[in-house]
Amino acid sequence: MGRRVWTGSAGVEAADAVFALMRRLIDGFRANPPVTPLVVLQATEEDATGTLDRRVAQVVEFVRQSQQPRGLIAKRLDGGGGPDPYSSAVDMVRQLCEHPWDNARQSQYKPFSFPRSRLLRAIEQAAPEVGTEVTTVWTAAERRERLMRRLAELRWRPDGGSAGEEGRRRIPVLAETVGAVANPSGFVGAMFIACLSVLLGEGGWRTALWGGALALAMFGLVHLLARSAPPLLWLRRATRWFATTTFLAPLSDRPAAADWSRWRPAKSWETIRGRAFAVAQQVAAAQAGDPTARQLHLELRVLALLEDLRENFRPRALDLRHRKRTVPPVVYLPRVTEEDGGLLLLRTISDVRSRRSEVDPLLVLAAVPASERLRPRIPAAPEPADLPGRPDADDEEEAFGADARYQRWVTNLNAGQSPGRAATLPWILYIPMPGDELRHRRSAQHSTDRIRRTPAWLLWSRPCLAVVLALGLAAGFLGNHYLAGRYCEGRLLGSNTDSVRHGGHCVGVATGNVRLAQGNALSLSGAGKGVTFDAVERAIRAENAAIGPRDAHVTIVYAGPVTAARQADTRKGLEEITGVYLYQHYANVSTDQPTKIKVLLANADQNMLHVIPMARHIADLARRDRSVVGVVGMGRDTTETEQAARILKGAGLPVVSTTNSGSHLARRLSNWFGLAATDEEEADALLVVARQLAAREKGGAQGAVLSRSVGSEKDFYTTEQARVGKHMLAEAGFAPAPSRTYRLSAEGEPELTTPIGDICGSQPVPKALYFAGRVEDVPNLMSQLGSTPGCSGRGITVFTGDDLTKSNYEEGEALRIPDEVTLYHFALAPMDLAATTGFYIDAHRVLMELLPAGARRTALADPARPWTDALFSNGQTVLSYSATAVLYRAARNGDVPQTAAETWADLRWHPVPNLPVGTVGFAGSRPYAEQRGHGYEIVRVSYDGGEVRSVNVCGRPAGSVAPLTAPPGPGGADPHTICRLS
């Protein structure tokens, strides 16, 4: 039950039945038959004083007052006020179409719209252009052209009035425009608020303020233009109805409705213009007094009114208006006479309904004086049998109550519309009101309840849209927050999915505005002091930006550990990226190659722990960007490196690795090209030194292996080093001692006390120790060897792989080697054997250009041997430079860039000479087989005179396949391949 809003009594007994009937017609609108009558109340007897007629009008007013608080859309008409019935009837139709109805803003749904009636009103205003006063001056074609010109001036919409009235309407029109834009229940308003919400969620309140102001201006302009000159006018429902209704077919030159087509605007416009001219002629004739034209004009206006009302209750509309409006619109006529046009209006509504045989929702309640006749008097055919106030002789049965008469009316409606009963008014439900009931002042109490809104009202309603927009705004904020937390450049619209966040760092490819090293103040060592990671990344982005959209270019992706928990742990990524940048600058600027290099940075985070998601992002990018020809880097061997390389293989990308010494990768992957000597090559090279040491020991010295266990760091390098180291010591002649492993603490520190204690406590103490660990663990190892009983003061030789080259112990890093301990480690970049001095001088000059203006520049420590400077000494930079050069040379055919597949194939054909490490190439190598020709050196590190000193024992440049030998070497051998112990 709805909320009770009215209680009262009419004070007339006759009102009870009428009240019950109207309540049934209104409240049962959806359940009743789909026809609404024109209910006419009339006293059965005339009263000279007019009391009975006033009582009948009082009944109509009683029903209106009882229904108005419910929210019913209704309209009271007190006559048209015209000089004649025709003018008054037309004026009443205009009141229904052009003036607001009661409860229009508080009803179940929004106010009614009357586009068809407004179109006819515009034609009426333009009708004087074809009036009878100009017929003698202008031809029919000229009058038609005048009409079209006037309608164009009116934009086919009714004018607001005179110039003065139009001036007074400017502010309301502006207010209407602003209201339409800011109204969330309309499409434009909903779009405006949605755009404002997105801007607020994306860019903050300043962006939302300026964007909202711009959107308001644009939407307002569109609304004003659409209001003054509706676009696609021939497609509007009102215009389509006007061009296709058969009601106007007799007036058309070509009456076929098929003359209108949504796909043929020119033909449709011709039909519309022709019908507008015909209607304007009829309007002009009606204004001149032609009775036939007046009847046509009134019927056309009534037809447009009923069609508009039907449209407002149209089923299968997107806004579900048919389900939202559950009660009909009601028109109250408290006093209907022949003179005020009311009877003419009732007859016309009935005639139009019968002629069109279409159902409309309009419900009318009218009171007719007893002296009036519903049908017009025809003097040539008087009807003496009829009583003055009765529409038909069948109404003799006054015993029927109002409800029974309604049932009888519904039953007889079909027959009542037949042509054989043309004298009847079939749509009028005549309710005679006996005089005694009108005189009886006793009446029951009645009440009405508020008309409920259906659940469908939620669709497009202001509260619902406000809630939806609020939820959408909240969802937008949450979604934006989620995307911003998931992607490094995440937002609600247009997220950059090439990189995601892991532990606060970006993993993936840095595209768009993503910066991996932003704010990283870690600088290069030695002569590169002051050149920060942030500066190198900005330099790469500047080189990329200098490549025009039409410039031929290839894209190389560097994949490595760009970020870490501490900036100091990003040094490997900094030095490798520096080498990539140096070759990019060399190709794009120094030599100005026709095919430019674009470099993208891909991050796998500290220690390459997220190498698989990084590889997936690179593969996704390569599938979208065909300029990506390969990957440089992948310099750390983890348990997931092979799987990551297979992901890149699936995307058709070759990988040119820098420092990754994994022995298994080239054997298992056809897209793997490594510049670093493998773990097995390292062991074979160190074997030359180990044999000489084993030969010095009398009685078979022991050798032990100490390796880092694989844990959360996924370090496969140490596992491989332990395997090849154990085999190397045994082959060199050292008796195998039990192997030991160590773990890392929760803080990342090596736990070496127990394994070193076991090694030093064994009998005899091993003379050789192969350390399969990482460079950051070496200082702790040396400290333990120098302080643990059994090892302290004893001569021990420690062998290790290539990871120690990352240490800058000559730069003051904490490394204290015991006096009796000698450390042999492997270096992957034999820079002194290639001796390309010009590269280092040019590289230093280019890097100095990245310093801020006015910053102090650091010179090379030894210009004659620049590779010994800490800027280059660990080989990370020259290896990444060489890897980039190899990939770039394979990525172009002359001056034409190649695809990733062509690059992959050419990597096995063309070696690249004169690189800082020698000649790098994979010519002659086969897929799934060992790759040869790697350059390397063996370095001896000792503590002498209070300083850490390193000496290159032996090695070979890249491109050489000469084996290392112990002295005396074969005749004619390269002296660098002969390993002499001190």
Side-chain angles (χ1 to χ4, degrees):
M1 294 294 292
R3 177 173 55 90
R4 181 158 299 177
V5 293
W6 180 89
T7 301
S9 172
V12 178
E13 185 179 355
D16 296 341
V18 178
F19 179 86
L21 174 63
M22 292 299 293
R23 182 168 58 184
R24 171 179 178 176
L25 293 177
I26 294 172
D27 294 345
F29 176 68
R30 297 283 293 274
N32 291 335
V35 288
T36 53
L38 309 174
V39 181
V40 175
L41 309 180
Q42 187 179 39
T44 56
E45 58 184 270
E46 295 187 29
D47 181 11
T49 63
T51 301
L52 297 182
D53 291 339
R54 287 193 297 272
R55 297 282 174 82
V56 175
Q58 181 182 342
V59 173
V60 175
E61 183 63 20
F62 163 71
V63 174
R64 189 187 75 83
Q65 291 179 358
S66 65
Q67 297 293 333
Q68 184 176 9
R70 307 184 62 197
L72 179 71
I73 296 184
K75 184 76 172 175
R76 171 175 172 168
L77 297 178
D78 294 315
D84 52 67
Y86 156 75
S87 301
S88 297
V90 172
D91 183 67
M92 284 190 284
V93 175
R94 289 173 180 166
Q95 290 183 49
L96 294 174
C97 302
E98 300 172 12
H99 294 79
W101 291 49
D102 297 337
N103 296 318
R105 298 289 179 180
Q106 291 81 32
S107 61
Q108 292 177 296
Y109 191 41
K110 63 184 180 181
F112 293 142
S113 60
F114 299 93
R116 295 162 183 80
S117 300
R118 287 172 58 82
L119 176 61
L120 292 180
R121 180 59 174 159
I123 296 175
E124 289 175 358
Q125 292 179 351
E129 300 296 333
V130 297
T132 56
E133 66 276 7
V134 298
T135 55
T136 59
V137 180
W138 305 97
T139 64
E142 291 172 334
R143 286 185 287 119
R144 172 170 170 165
E145 186 61 29
R146 284 168 56 89
L147 175 69
M148 295 301 112
R149 189 181 304 114
R150 177 56 182 157
L151 285 173
E153 293 174 357
L154 293 172
R155 308 301 184 189
W156 291 77
R157 294 181 180 272
D159 193 5
S162 62
E165 293 175 351
E166 182 64 24
R168 289 191 297 269
R169 283 173 53 86
R170 288 177 183 173
I171 295 179
V173 168
L174 181 61
E176 178 187 348
T177 302
V178 175
V181 174
N183 181 11
S185 64
F187 175 76
V188 175
M191 286 293 297
F192 170 72
I193 294 179
C195 293
L196 188 64
S197 302
V198 171
L199 289 175
L200 186 61
E202 289 290 329
W205 69 269
R206 286 189 177 88
T207 304
L209 179 63
W210 288 105
L214 180 62
L216 181 65
M218 293 179 59
F219 284 147
L221 179 62
V222 171
H223 181 264
L224 282 174
L225 292 176
R227 185 183 182 280
S228 59
L232 306 179
L233 182 62
W234 88 94
L235 294 178
R236 294 171 58 211
R237 287 184 178 273
T239 314
R240 183 174 62 184
W241 165 82
F242 184 73
T244 57
T245 177
T246 56
F247 192 91
L248 294 176
L251 298 177
S252 304
D253 296 335
R254 290 176 295 176
D259 283 348
W260 180 91
S261 171
R262 62 169 50 92
W263 312 117
R264 303 183 65 182
K267 188 175 183 180
S268 301
W269 268 112
E270 182 60 29
T271 301
I272 294 169
R273 291 189 185 100
R275 291 198 169 191
F277 180 62
V279 170
Q281 286 181 310
Q282 293 297 322
V283 172
Q287 293 172 351
D290 186 344
T292 303
R294 287 189 169 189
Q295 183 66 24
L296 174 63
H297 179 214
L298 179 59
E299 290 183 357
L300 183 58
R301 287 305 304 259
V302 169
L303 174 63
L305 168 67
L306 299 181
E307 288 290 333
D308 284 331
L309 290 175
R310 288 180 65 244
E311 179 69 19
N312 282 283
F313 284 79
R314 178 171 59 92
R316 294 182 299 277
L318 291 178
D319 57 359
L320 300 182
R321 60 187 66 174
H322 184 66
R323 293 187 175 274
K324 294 178 181 179
R325 292 175 171 139
T326 61
V327 293
V330 181
V331 174
Y332 300 105
L333 300 170
R335 180 177 174 82
V336 175
T337 63
E338 195 73 48
E339 288 75 13
D340 66 4
L343 287 175
L344 178 59
L345 178 61
L346 291 176
R347 297 189 199 107
T348 304
I349 294 175
S350 180
D351 292 344
V352 170
R353 283 181 169 178
S354 297
R355 179 174 175 180
R356 300 298 296 163
S357 297
E358 291 176 341
V359 176
D360 61 81
L362 181 62
L363 175 62
V364 177
L365 178 61
V368 179
S371 58
E372 296 289 342
R373 300 174 60 88
L374 292 179
R375 293 193 302 272
R377 295 184 177 88
I378 304 177
E383 301 177 40
D386 288 351
L387 294 175
R390 304 190 184 173
D392 201 306
D394 293 339
D395 291 326
E396 291 291 343
E397 303 179 33
E398 297 179 1
F400 282 111
D403 191 70
R405 283 181 173 274
Y406 169 69
Q407 296 293 346
R408 184 185 181 199
W409 173 82
V410 172
T411 303
N412 296 335
L413 184 60
N414 288 338
Q417 295 185 92
S418 61
R421 302 193 65 184
T424 64
L425 297 174
W427 286 91
I428 291 181
L429 174 57
Y430 177 71
I431 307 293
M433 308 196 74
D436 56 346
E437 293 184 6
L438 292 173
R439 295 185 181 94
H440 199 272
R441 300 296 292 173
R442 186 184 306 173
S443 176
Q445 286 288 111
H446 299 282
S447 62
T448 55
D449 300 330
R450 177 75 182 179
I451 297 175
R452 280 187 167 184
R453 287 173 171 167
T454 63
W457 166 80
L458 293 174
L459 183 64
W460 304 116
S461 66
R462 288 186 179 90
C464 178
L465 283 178
V467 172
V468 170
L469 288 176
L471 292 176
L473 185 61
F477 274 114
L478 292 176
N480 191 70
H481 179 73
Y482 168 76
L483 293 174
R486 175 174 174 78
Y487 299 108
C488 300
E489 194 178 8
R491 48 182 175 266
L492 196 60
L493 297 177
S495 290
N496 182 353
T497 60
D498 291 332
S499 56
V500 296
R501 294 189 182 276
H502 282 281
H505 296 149
C506 293
V507 172
V509 187
T511 58
N513 295 322
V514 175
R515 293 279 309 278
L516 297 175
Q518 186 172 11
N520 192 335
L522 179 68
S523 67
L524 294 169
S525 302
K529 283 189 180 299
V531 180
T532 64
F533 207 152
D534 181 88
V536 176
E537 184 187 33
R538 283 189 282 108
I540 291 176
R541 292 174 65 88
E543 293 283 353
N544 293 343
I547 301 174
R550 297 179 179 270
D551 293 342
H553 71 279
V554 293
T555 300
I556 294 176
V557 180
Y558 166 78
V562 185
T563 60
R566 300 182 305 162
Q567 289 186 357
D569 295 332
T570 61
R571 180 165 298 279
K572 177 179 176 60
L574 167 61
E575 293 174 344
E576 288 193 332
I577 288 175
T578 300
V580 175
Y581 164 69
L582 288 173
Y583 192 82
Q584 181 189 29
H585 185 273
Y586 169 79
N588 293 358
V589 179
S590 299
T591 58
D592 193 18
Q593 297 293 326
T595 300
K596 307 298 182 183
I597 301 178
K598 181 179 180 181
V599 174
L600 296 179
L601 306 184
N603 180 35
D605 204 18
Q606 185 172 1
N607 295 331
M608 303 285 285
L609 293 180
H610 299 102
V611 66
I612 289 180
M614 178 198 70
R616 291 195 179 109
H617 286 293
I618 296 175
D620 292 339
L621 175 66
R623 294 184 181 99
R624 301 194 315 267
D625 185 357
R626 294 301 180 183
S627 70
V628 177
V629 295
V631 176
V632 166
M634 301 283 286
R636 186 180 178 95
D637 191 16
T638 72
T639 56
E640 296 176 341
T641 300
E642 181 178 344
Q643 183 181 352
R646 291 189 184 278
I647 293 174
L648 298 175
K649 178 183 177 182
L653 296 178
V655 179
V656 181
S657 176
T658 52
T659 61
N660 195 321
S661 59
S663 305
H664 60 291
L665 296 173
R667 292 195 296 262
R668 298 181 183 179
L669 298 165
S670 61
N671 67 323
W672 186 267
F673 301 88
L675 268 66
T678 65
D679 296 321
E680 293 175 351
E681 286 181 288
E682 293 180 13
D684 289 344
L686 290 173
L687 178 61
V688 177
V689 177
R691 278 176 174 167
Q692 297 180 59
L693 291 173
R696 290 181 179 182
E697 301 296 332
K698 305 299 183 182
Q702 286 190 342
V705 175
L706 175 62
S707 62
R708 181 197 282 190
S709 60
V710 177
S712 60
E713 67 277 2
K714 306 175 184 178
D715 190 5
F716 195 63
Y717 163 82
T718 57
T719 301
E720 285 291 284
Q721 284 284 309
R723 179 181 63 82
V724 300
K726 183 177 183 180
H727 182 268
M728 184 271 291
L729 291 177
E731 192 170 348
F734 288 98
S739 299
R740 307 293 179 179
T741 61
Y742 68 94
R743 299 182 303 174
L744 298 181
S745 67
E747 293 76 21
E749 297 295 328
E751 297 179 343
L752 291 169
T753 303
T754 300
I756 291 296
D758 293 340
I759 292 175
C760 296
S762 61
Q763 294 297 330
V765 176
K767 300 290 291 184
L769 176 65
Y770 197 99
F771 181 65
R774 288 290 181 178
V775 61
E776 56 267 24
D777 304 338
V778 172
N780 196 306
L781 170 67
M782 294 300 162
S783 176
Q784 292 286 339
L785 290 177
S787 60
T788 303
C791 293
S792 178
R794 185 183 295 272
I796 297 177
T797 301
V798 178
F799 297 95
T800 187
D802 59 83
D803 202 56
L804 194 63
T805 55
K806 294 187 297 184
S807 173
N808 281 326
Y809 44 80
E810 294 181 355
E811 285 281 298
E813 289 190 4
L815 179 63
R816 174 66 170 86
I817 300 179
D819 295 339
E820 298 80 9
V821 174
T822 303
L823 174 65
Y824 287 91
H825 74 84
F826 207 77
L828 299 175
M831 295 174 285
D832 58 331
L833 303 184
T836 54
T837 307
F839 160 76
Y840 301 99
I841 302 299
D842 292 340
H844 179 256
R845 175 183 53 79
V846 171
L847 293 176
M848 291 300 99
E849 295 175 356
L850 302 183
L851 291 173
R856 179 179 175 273
R857 301 191 175 191
T858 305
L860 292 168
D862 184 1
R865 293 172 56 83
W867 53 84
T868 61
D869 193 281
L871 174 61
F872 306 107
S873 60
N874 60 20
Q876 306 276 345
T877 298
V878 296
L879 282 172
S880 61
Y881 177 92
S882 302
T884 308
V886 170
L887 184 59
Y888 172 71
R889 297 291 177 87
R892 61 175 187 160
N893 184 5
D895 294 337
V896 179
Q898 299 198 117
T899 64
E902 294 169 329
T903 302
W904 185 344
D906 276 5
L907 279 170
R908 300 190 185 277
W909 287 95
H910 304 293
V912 182
N914 302 321
L915 291 176
V917 295
T919 299
V920 178
F922 304 93
S925 65
R926 296 178 313 211
Y928 308 106
E930 295 285 353
Q931 295 170 352
R932 302 184 178 277
H934 300 123
Y936 53 80
E937 279 188 317
I938 296 177
V939 181
R940 180 176 64 247
V941 182
S942 60
Y943 197 76
D944 185 13
E947 294 183 357
V948 176
R949 299 187 180 277
S950 62
V951 177
N952 295 334
V953 176
C954 56
R956 70 183 188 190
S960 172
V961 293
L964 298 183
T965 59
D974 188 337
H976 294 295
T977 63
I978 300 175
C979 298
R980 293 182 174 86
L981 300 181
S982 59

